[in-house]
Amino acid sequence: MKQLLRKMNINNKRVLLRCDLNVPIENGNVLDETKIIKSLETINYLLKENCKIIILSHLGRVKSEEDKAKNTLEPVRLSLAKLLNKEIKFATDILGPSTKEIAQALLPGEILLLENTRFLDIPNKLESTLNEETAKQLSELGEVFVLDAFASSHRTHTSVVGLSKYLPSCLGFLAEAEINMLNKNLINHKNPFTVIMGGAKVDDKLSIIKSLLPKCDHLLLSGGIANSFLYALGLNLGESLKNDNPEIVSELQSLMFTYKEKFAFPLDAIVSSTYNNTTTIKSINKIEANDIIKDIGAKTITKYKDILDNSETIFINGTMGVYEEKEFKNGTTEIFNILSKYPEKVVIGGGDTISALNNLGFRGKFENISSGGGATLEFIANGTLPGIEAIMEDDGIEVLDL
Ligand code: ADP
Ligand code: MG
């Protein structure tokens, strides 16, 4: 059991808090504040405990000097200041002496946000690989490390796994809640356990598919994932998205051989034709050379509904079709409709899956939504993550005095 924030005496301490504030930003405006709002529970608790708070987060991809301008955390600072109705200090030179001075001078209840940790990657990748010297330098800014960035905890990056070696450490409320939700619903699931895997690329999801197959009773496939398995079975899929790498094909064949009775494939598909630009519904064994599969059809939805209605635990990751286009959102919409009849049985994970849920009118209909993306999939596959592993163990003392 890892140490938890509420079991530590952090009163008045200088706390380094690793959040996931990686929000979408356009023209300097935060488009979706969900991740910032979710981080407030831990921040508000630290404020109540009179902590001096130093927040770290990455934002977007920073591969070159030019990437910095569009990935500054300044818009996040403004959003956080508005939500907390409080001044948020900002330090741009993360490892510089000025940042250390601001951190040292913080008063109880004051907050300092450090600039995007991935700025440290230019030129020497000090964040995106574990750099001990950088971790040590960062740790000197605080007295305690709190990891609340569940969604980043699969990354062996300096600000995620590095600091707990040098400071007393614990999990924040958001990380704790996410771990508890996944443990309760998926790691300790009830059977029949059904997994719905959709979306684009099978290679992204192969490790989670492999880890879930022994545990689940049914694996319902859709999207590019289903196409890749069907291709491995020898079906003609026209120009549909699929993985035809021989090594992957043979791996998929061996999985289907081992777990035959668990696989459920689409019976029909909504296809668009590159030949005459029409959209039609076709049986899965009647796909022609110019066809591109874009969604599941009505027969597939009925077949999947029957399995879902008889399941006790359901995990869905990936959309049923190209939900971004209105002609191909029906499969995803109908599956969400079915799942919304028994939301307590359902766990939802994946960036696009959650966007689809919100865009297709299901916001607020499900409780067990894991915000982790890749972290969620890795947690389900391995039962832990590198960032979580690095946090110190709970030694059983009710409140740990630091
Ligand atoms: P998540 O981000 O939730 O893990 P994915 O990224 O795997 O989900 O899946 C969503 C993406 O899969 C969407 O961009 C969607 O357009 C794409 N997709 C779904 N079905 C198909 C298909 N048949 N062909 C091509 N792309 C598809
Ligand atoms: Mg995605």
Side-chain angles (χ1 to χ4, degrees):
M1 180 71 189
K2 294 294 173 184
Q3 189 57 250
L4 301 175
L5 177 56
R6 60 191 151 77
K7 291 186 70 183
M8 293 178 91
N9 184 1
I10 39 110
N11 203 268
N12 261 296
K13 292 277 186 296
R14 196 175 301 110
V15 175
L16 274 166
L17 171 63
R18 177 56 160 98
C19 291
D20 172 17
L21 304 176
N22 182 27
V23 291
I25 291 176
E26 210 172 80
N27 302 324
N29 297 310
V30 176
L31 297 181
D32 181 353
E33 288 183 316
T34 309
K35 285 185 171 183
I36 305 176
I37 293 168
K38 283 192 157 193
S39 302
L40 293 180
E41 192 187 353
T42 296
I43 296 172
N44 278 322
Y45 177 81
L46 296 175
L47 287 172
K48 205 179 82 215
E49 291 286 320
N50 284 319
C51 296
K52 303 141 199 168
I53 309 169
I54 301 153
I55 302 177
L56 305 121
S57 176
H58 74 280
L59 178 77
R61 283 161 174 262
V62 183
K63 302 284 176 210
S64 65
E65 196 63 42
E66 294 76 64
D67 288 339
K68 286 187 175 178
K70 63 175 189 291
N71 286 310
T72 169
L73 276 173
E74 173 63 16
V76 172
R77 182 184 77 82
L78 294 173
S79 160
L80 200 53
K82 190 188 70 201
L83 287 164
L84 289 167
N85 193 19
K86 196 173 179 54
E87 186 212 352
I88 309 286
K89 297 177 193 293
F90 196 50
T92 49
D93 182 15
I94 304 173
L95 299 176
S98 59
T99 301
K100 210 165 181 176
E101 270 167 39
I102 305 171
Q104 297 290 346
L106 284 176
L107 298 172
E110 287 191 330
I111 301 178
L112 166 65
L113 173 67
L114 303 187
E115 182 56 287
N116 186 352
T117 49
R118 286 192 179 161
F119 282 19
L120 296 171
D121 282 343
I122 311 299
N124 289 327
K125 281 226 175 224
L126 298 180
E127 162 71 343
S128 294
T129 48
L130 173 55
N131 184 282
E132 289 294 341
E133 184 50 38
T134 307
K136 191 159 179 296
Q137 270 176 279
L138 283 172
S139 72
E140 285 162 8
L141 297 176
E143 298 164 287
V144 182
F145 175 62
V146 180
L147 178 70
D148 219 14
F150 177 83
S152 307
S153 301
H154 59 315
R155 303 198 189 276
T156 311
H157 291 181
T158 302
S159 70
V160 179
V161 301
L163 300 169
S164 14
K165 186 166 161 188
Y166 301 100
L167 293 172
S169 57
C170 64
L171 298 170
F173 295 121
L174 186 57
E176 183 193 351
E178 192 106 19
I179 293 165
N180 284 344
M181 189 279 279
L182 293 173
N183 275 336
K184 174 169 165 268
N185 295 291
L186 290 186
I187 308 291
N188 307 309
H189 61 266
K190 288 191 200 142
N191 294 76
F193 175 24
T194 296
V195 174
I196 315 174
M197 276 282 161
K201 293 199 189 136
V202 77
D203 35 327
D204 284 352
K205 313 245 165 134
L206 202 48
S207 67
I208 183 154
I209 291 175
K210 285 201 282 199
S211 80
L212 285 172
L213 269 169
K215 299 172 195 151
C216 74
D217 298 285
H218 303 283
L219 176 62
L220 315 188
L221 295 175
S222 184
I225 311 259
N227 295 346
S228 302
F229 278 96
L230 291 167
Y231 177 80
L233 283 176
L235 262 75
N236 172 25
L237 299 173
E239 294 190 31
S240 307
L241 178 72
K242 60 184 172 295
N243 191 319
D244 55 9
N245 173 320
E247 271 173 42
I248 300 274
V249 169
S250 95
E251 203 167 349
L252 302 186
Q253 285 167 338
S254 104
L255 286 173
M256 288 185 282
F257 183 76
T258 310
Y259 298 103
K260 262 189 235 64
E261 71 291 355
K262 297 191 179 187
F263 277 86
F265 297 104
L267 298 172
D268 53 357
I270 315 289
V271 301
S272 67
S273 168
T274 55
Y275 177 62
N276 56 10
N277 248 332
T278 54
T279 296
T280 43
I281 182 158
K282 289 194 178 175
S283 283
I284 206 73
N285 54 2
K286 298 265 163 60
I287 306 294
E288 293 175 74
N290 293 308
D291 290 339
I292 307 176
I293 296 175
K294 296 279 186 72
D295 198 6
I296 52 174
K299 284 193 182 129
T300 309
I301 295 168
T302 306
K303 170 180 166 177
Y304 286 5
K305 179 178 187 302
D306 193 42
I307 300 171
L308 293 168
D309 284 348
N310 290 296
S311 300
E312 284 302 318
T313 307
I314 298 160
F315 174 58
I316 175 166
N317 172 252
T319 61
M320 300 302 100
V322 184
Y323 74 97
E324 299 94 330
E325 295 172 36
K326 72 174 187 315
E327 307 102 289
F328 309 114
K329 65 178 188 183
N330 183 61
T332 308
T333 309
E334 284 310 312
I335 293 294
F336 279 139
N337 257 329
I338 294 163
L339 298 179
S340 67
K341 303 285 187 297
Y342 29 77
E344 70 288 351
K345 295 182 183 178
V346 180
V347 178
I348 298 171
D352 279 283
T353 315
I354 295 167
S355 296
L357 179 98
N358 292 332
N359 295 342
L360 299 175
F362 295 89
R363 196 186 282 273
K365 295 264 195 289
F366 295 92
E367 263 180 38
N368 302 327
I369 299 177
S370 179
S371 63
T376 302
L377 302 188
E378 258 190 69
F379 184 85
I380 297 167
N382 302 330
T384 186
L385 295 171
I388 299 169
E389 279 306 283
I391 295 297
M392 69 182 183
E393 291 294 322
D394 175 5
D395 57 8
I397 297 168
E398 203 34 58
V399 172
L400 187 64
D401 224 337
L402 301 173

